[in-house]
Amino acid sequence: AVVSTQSTWERSLVANLSAANDYKQAHIQTEDAQMMVKSSRVVYSAGFFLTVSPDTLIEVAQSCVERNAIFAVNLSAEFIVEFFKDKLASVVEYADFVFGNETEAAKYAAVNKLENGEAATVAQAIAALPSKRKRPRTVVITQGSGETVVAQGGKVHKFAVPALDADAIVDTNGAGDAFVGGFLSQLLLGKKLKVCVDGAHYAAQVIIRTSGTKLEGQPSFSE
């Protein structure tokens, strides 16, 4: 498949899900898989997994609750929010962290009939959903070069994205995944929210300035 755009750096990802479509809950119940699940301090899943084996995701999320490990999930795409609404809601109940972007947030608002589709409104709504966790849920909504919005503990925080020259952008694929990776890397180090978001912005901007997944050198992120 080919997608042509007028931009030199915007493109579409056409995925072949292949083996992912055949994932069964039994795969997570092997000895090796269970060892990884039960030893993980943080478990993160894209929302796409809801289309294949939601029961697997619930099993892993339940394990996180029992061990007080962190469980995070991503809205991932507008069609997940719209057509897998109930499955998404059942997984969010277990989530300590929920990530998404502005288009997914707008779709969430429309599907769930919120008063508006603003990132702050949606983040607060998701943060307030029923939870199986003892700690408050944190919801992070990105808006491209616009402010990153975080709802946590009944408050909304907004973080400016560092300026980046458009000419430096090479490939926007993977920006959201890199953002989450950067955020969780700092969370694992016990850093405060602002540093987690700073790490997320840094990682996302590294990826969008890189063609594909070829990374060179050492990270230069610092608080």
Side-chain angles (χ1 to χ4, degrees):
V2 176
V3 177
S4 176
T5 68
Q6 293 180 331
S7 170
T8 58
W9 50 266
E10 287 186 339
R11 64 183 182 127
S12 178
L13 178 65
V14 181
N16 177 6
L17 298 178
S18 192
N21 275 333
D22 294 319
Y23 196 96
K24 301 293 188 296
Q25 190 172 3
H27 292 132
I28 201 69
Q29 294 168 345
T30 66
E31 184 177 348
D32 288 344
Q34 284 295 304
M35 182 177 66
M36 288 188 285
V37 168
K38 293 177 180 178
S39 63
S40 299
R41 293 167 53 199
V42 176
V43 174
Y44 166 72
S45 175
F48 296 119
F49 206 75
L50 291 170
T51 69
V52 180
S53 185
D55 290 340
T56 298
L57 208 49
I58 293 294
E59 179 180 337
V60 173
Q62 180 61 45
S63 171
C64 288
V65 172
E66 294 168 356
R67 298 179 296 105
N68 200 34
I70 292 170
F71 179 69
V73 68
N74 202 311
L75 301 180
S76 291
E78 293 174 66
F79 82 89
I80 297 292
V81 172
E82 183 172 8
F83 299 112
F84 295 85
K85 173 186 174 181
D86 293 340
K87 291 179 180 178
L88 177 63
S90 67
V91 168
V92 167
E93 280 194 54
Y94 295 86
D96 296 292
F97 291 86
V98 177
F99 296 89
N101 64 31
E102 73 274 30
T103 59
E104 294 153 5
K107 177 60 71 174
Y108 185 94
V111 170
N112 292 279
K113 297 179 173 56
L114 302 186
E115 58 181 296
N116 62 66
E118 294 179 3
T121 300
V122 177
Q124 286 181 299
I126 296 175
L129 290 173
S131 175
K132 297 182 181 295
R133 310 308 302 253
K134 295 180 180 179
R135 47 184 169 254
R137 180 182 299 117
T138 298
V139 181
V140 185
I141 305 295
T142 61
Q143 302 182 98
S145 60
E147 292 178 316
T148 294
V149 175
V150 182
Q152 184 183 68
K155 298 180 180 179
V156 173
H157 308 271
K158 297 181 179 181
F159 301 89
V161 177
L164 181 65
D165 193 323
D167 292 338
I169 301 175
V170 176
D171 180 358
T172 56
N173 276 315
D177 294 322
F179 179 97
V180 176
F183 187 103
L184 295 179
S185 73
Q186 298 308 299
L187 184 69
L188 275 166
L189 293 174
K191 302 299 183 180
K192 294 185 180 300
L193 177 62
K194 182 183 183 304
V195 179
C196 291
V197 175
D198 287 345
H201 288 159
Y202 167 82
Q205 291 195 342
V206 167
I207 284 296
I208 65 178
R209 288 179 290 174
T210 304
S211 179
T213 56
K214 184 180 180 181
L215 300 176
E216 298 178 351
Q218 297 295 317
S220 59
F221 174 73
S222 61
E223 296 180 33

